[in-house]
Amino acid sequence: MSYQVLARKWRPRNFSTLVGQEHVVRALTHALDQNRLHHAYLFTGTRGVGKTTLARILAKALNCETGISSTPCGVCSACTEIDSGRFVDLIEIDAATNTGIDNMRELQDNAVYAPTRGRFKVFVIDEVHMLSKQAFNSMLKTFEEPPEHIKFILATTDPQKIPVTVLSRCLQFNLKQMPREAIYGHLEYILGEEKTASEPAALRLIAQAAQGSMRDALSLLDQAIAYAGGKVSEDSVRAMLGAIDQDYLFKLLDGLARQDIKAMLAVADEMDSRSLSFDGALQDLATLLHQVALAQGAPDALGPDLPQRERILALAQQFDAEELQLYYQIALHARRDLSLAPDEYAGFSMSLMRMLAFRPIEPGAVALAPAARTKPEAPGARNVAAAAPAHAPAGSAVPGARKVTPVAPVLAKAFDGNWPALATQLKVSGVAKQLAQQSELRNFDDESIELGLAFSAKHLADKVYQDKLRDALKEHFGSAVALKIVIGEISGNTAAVQAQSERQARQGKALEAIQGDAFVRDLMDTFDATIVSDSVKPT
Ligand SMILES: [Zn+2]
């Protein structure tokens, strides 16, 4: 018997076995059971999330001989022929290879005729965004006045490339990336049915490597079965994926906890000598840091069968939550910048040194009272400056604090309380600039500024960006300023809101001017034209 690849063999054949897309399934099920049919559907989502699988199930639901329903029988000739890909009234077109107008003409000619076998002729157009402009235009004719017996199911990874005229005639569903847990559960189920032994950690590695695509997960699983030649073990999957041996990463974090740069660079050298991918290492390092942070905040979320669970829990004891956030950011940025680095080794080792160089010490802020520390400092513990929490009262020096930067009372002279104006002057960029422009003044005194930030923008208050803003304030006033950011409701007196209302006012004036223009009025009267207000731009 020939081997059938798992993705084909385990392709879901009805809505109830489709994993991870419950929201779409629910909507389609209701529509089918209440016979509220649309003539065109659009499924969007990244590759391998089940768009064409869903299209085939929908085609069965529409054509099953027992009637239109969300539970096609699966045994009638229509159902079985659709499953095996030889149903004459299901026409699947891959727009990636059939982009031209001729293909669409053919489709139109075909659409005129009634279905041969089924209730509906179903056209599935995959990667529909690849169609040429003419092909779209020609398709539109059929789209605008579709014959009763036609259903269109369009699938795309890139809905933004589809003309609005087509989009507006489709019922659109967005398929989500598969959550790792859903992929893991499905792999486990399939191997159970296939009676193939496996280690949970191996399946977790595959689920992670599949990056949200069930199809990729299943083809990796196929490879893993072939590679392992029996039990799908963690070692074999790790070797197959070329995944970085976790041991390296643990050694790196151990070194980081001890602030031992030599040990960390030795690990990097060893990885280099084995030609391991530093890009992959940074990705895995970020994953591990995420797990350590989880272990700190919500250990239950780790899952009992996580590989190296004990070591992760141990590391969680060694770092502060803030440190983990910072290292995670550094790993992400290092990965983004890796292509700019002189070489991968340099990029990687610089990121390790950066982790040590930028240990979280709040500049210009006072140290935190011992009582507020989340974990007691054990005797002989690593020498870390305590970070100040946002609620530390400015200027209240704590006995025994390691680092207190004196704050000069400068604000009273130099700041008039107009935060939006100051926010636009500060030398900050990127996210820190957004933080400045989207926050509003709550309070200030001689040496501190308290800002409010809306819940919806709270991601801007990341420590890294607060620090940048604090630096910019220091530069502006020539002296350190204690900055506090309070997340909550704001009234909207921010630089961003001001800029927006100014833009709107200018836009309003421009529109008025256009509407009042005699020549424009003439055009409108003569040609029965209207002004597309969005197209008016103030000079
Ligand atoms: Zn059927």
Side-chain angles (χ1 to χ4, degrees):
M1 208 178 78
S2 68
Y3 181 73
Q4 196 181 10
V5 297
L6 294 172
R8 289 264 305 267
K9 185 169 176 187
W10 292 97
R11 179 184 268 240
R13 300 193 191 284
N14 50 50
F15 287 123
S16 62
T17 51
L18 195 74
V19 177
Q21 307 296 353
E22 286 75 12
H23 62 299
V24 176
V25 166
R26 201 177 312 128
L28 283 176
T29 306
H30 284 168
L32 284 164
D33 289 342
Q34 292 163 14
N35 216 347
R36 282 185 289 109
L37 301 181
H38 217 261
H39 80 269
Y41 298 84
L42 173 66
F43 297 146
T44 64
T46 52
R47 50 188 293 280
V49 292
K51 297 184 293 293
T52 50
T53 300
L54 192 61
R56 283 198 197 163
I57 299 174
L58 181 56
K60 276 197 288 187
L62 292 167
N63 274 318
C64 175
E65 286 168 11
T66 63
I68 299 174
S69 90
S70 64
T71 50
C73 73
V75 291
C76 71
S77 57
C79 283
T80 51
E81 284 175 23
I82 290 175
D83 278 339
S84 58
R86 50 194 172 86
F87 188 64
V88 284
D89 292 319
L90 174 63
I91 299 110
E92 296 189 50
I93 301 162
D94 180 7
T97 48
N98 303 289
T99 54
I101 188 163
D102 293 343
N103 302 105
M104 281 301 116
R105 290 234 172 87
E106 223 170 90
L107 182 152
Q108 273 172 309
D109 293 345
N110 188 335
V112 177
Y113 301 105
T116 330
R117 297 279 317 277
R119 205 172 285 115
F120 298 104
K121 209 170 237 186
V122 181
F123 291 95
V124 175
I125 309 181
D126 197 12
E127 295 300 350
V128 66
H129 65 273
M130 305 278 278
L131 287 181
S132 66
K133 199 173 165 196
Q134 293 99 322
F136 267 125
N137 283 340
S138 128
M139 188 172 113
L140 208 56
K141 287 180 202 135
T142 321
F143 241 61
E144 279 166 339
E145 294 164 33
E148 278 293 308
H149 60 265
I150 296 285
K151 297 286 174 210
F152 281 103
I153 305 177
L154 313 181
T156 181
T157 48
D158 196 353
Q160 298 191 329
K161 287 200 186 125
I162 299 178
V164 173
T165 41
V166 173
L167 275 183
S168 64
R169 289 177 168 81
C170 293
L171 199 56
Q172 190 174 335
F173 293 97
N174 182 33
L175 276 70
K176 291 185 292 195
Q177 278 217 332
M178 302 272 174
R180 238 178 249 177
E181 272 311 302
I183 295 180
Y184 173 80
H186 196 54
L187 297 182
E188 199 180 30
Y189 166 78
I190 287 177
L191 286 184
E193 296 289 304
E194 294 274 327
K195 307 221 182 320
T196 303
S198 66
E199 290 173 5
L203 302 190
R204 293 218 173 269
L205 279 173
I206 294 176
Q208 183 182 331
Q211 298 193 332
S213 161
M214 187 66 90
R215 188 171 59 210
D216 287 357
L218 290 180
S219 72
L220 285 175
L221 186 59
D222 265 325
Q223 286 178 41
I225 292 171
Y227 189 95
K231 185 180 179 185
V232 180
S233 67
E234 182 185 352
D235 285 347
S236 63
V237 169
R238 200 173 279 291
M240 178 192 92
L241 293 174
I244 308 293
D245 186 347
Q246 292 286 97
D247 212 45
Y248 286 117
L249 303 176
F250 282 106
K251 275 194 214 158
L252 281 178
L253 291 189
D254 286 341
L256 188 56
R258 294 194 312 271
Q259 303 198 62
D260 183 349
I261 188 64
K262 267 192 190 157
M264 293 171 78
L265 290 179
V267 177
D269 288 343
E270 204 184 327
M271 292 167 69
D272 195 34
S273 69
R274 285 187 45 190
S275 312
L276 294 174
S277 150
F278 285 117
D279 179 63
L282 284 168
Q283 189 179 6
D284 289 354
L285 190 60
T287 304
L288 182 58
L289 285 165
H290 170 236
Q291 287 166 342
V292 176
L294 272 182
Q296 242 176 25
D300 291 346
L302 278 186
D305 50 6
L306 188 75
Q308 311 268 24
R309 192 169 189 279
E310 292 312 311
R311 277 182 97 169
I312 291 170
L313 286 170
L315 274 176
Q317 301 294 318
Q318 311 248 357
F319 296 103
D320 288 332
E322 285 174 326
E323 288 177 275
L324 291 172
Q325 290 293 330
L326 179 68
Y327 302 150
Y328 179 79
Q329 282 290 334
I330 291 176
L332 292 189
H333 287 178
R335 191 166 172 236
R336 186 195 59 193
D337 297 343
L338 203 57
S339 59
L340 303 175
D343 57 67
E344 287 210 346
Y345 173 81
F348 185 74
S349 50
M350 277 303 269
S351 71
L352 299 182
M353 289 186 262
R354 194 174 309 146
M355 287 179 189
L356 277 182
F358 291 95
R359 303 178 66 77
I361 298 170
E362 215 119 317
V366 291
L368 157 68
R373 291 277 294 172
T374 44
K375 70 183 173 45
E377 195 88 54
R382 96 214 117 74
N383 194 10
V384 181
H391 59 261
S396 66
V398 176
R402 279 187 72 240
K403 187 173 179 179
V404 179
T405 309
V407 182
V410 288
L411 288 186
K413 277 173 273 160
F415 184 43
D416 59 359
N418 185 347
W419 173 252
L422 177 58
T424 49
Q425 287 167 27
L426 288 174
K427 283 185 189 144
V428 275
S429 59
V431 180
K433 182 172 183 158
Q434 286 303 310
L435 174 62
Q437 304 213 334
Q438 301 210 15
S439 53
E440 70 181 12
L441 189 67
R442 283 172 58 103
N443 235 323
F444 74 103
D445 57 26
D446 268 356
E447 51 212 27
S448 69
I449 291 185
E450 181 180 322
L451 299 174
L453 186 67
F455 273 118
S456 56
K458 75 170 196 293
H459 57 280
L460 301 177
D462 219 85
K463 188 174 172 313
V464 191
Y465 308 124
Q466 285 198 35
D467 286 349
K468 282 189 180 157
L469 185 53
R470 208 171 270 121
D471 288 345
L473 285 169
K474 186 175 173 185
E475 198 190 325
H476 183 85
F477 289 115
S479 169
V481 173
L483 175 68
K484 177 178 170 184
I485 292 183
V486 180
I487 312 283
E489 285 208 356
I490 64 168
S491 64
N493 185 21
T494 69
V497 170
Q498 281 191 6
Q500 199 194 0
S501 54
E502 272 164 29
R503 268 199 306 277
Q504 274 167 358
R506 279 209 312 275
Q507 175 73 16
K509 271 193 188 148
L511 192 58
E512 240 169 58
I514 291 273
Q515 279 165 343
D517 187 277
F519 177 66
V520 173
R521 282 174 169 286
D522 224 31
L523 281 179
M524 288 168 70
D525 291 343
T526 316
F527 296 107
D528 192 20
T530 50
I531 295 175
V532 180
S533 38
D534 290 352
S535 69
V536 178
K537 299 263 182 298
T539 48

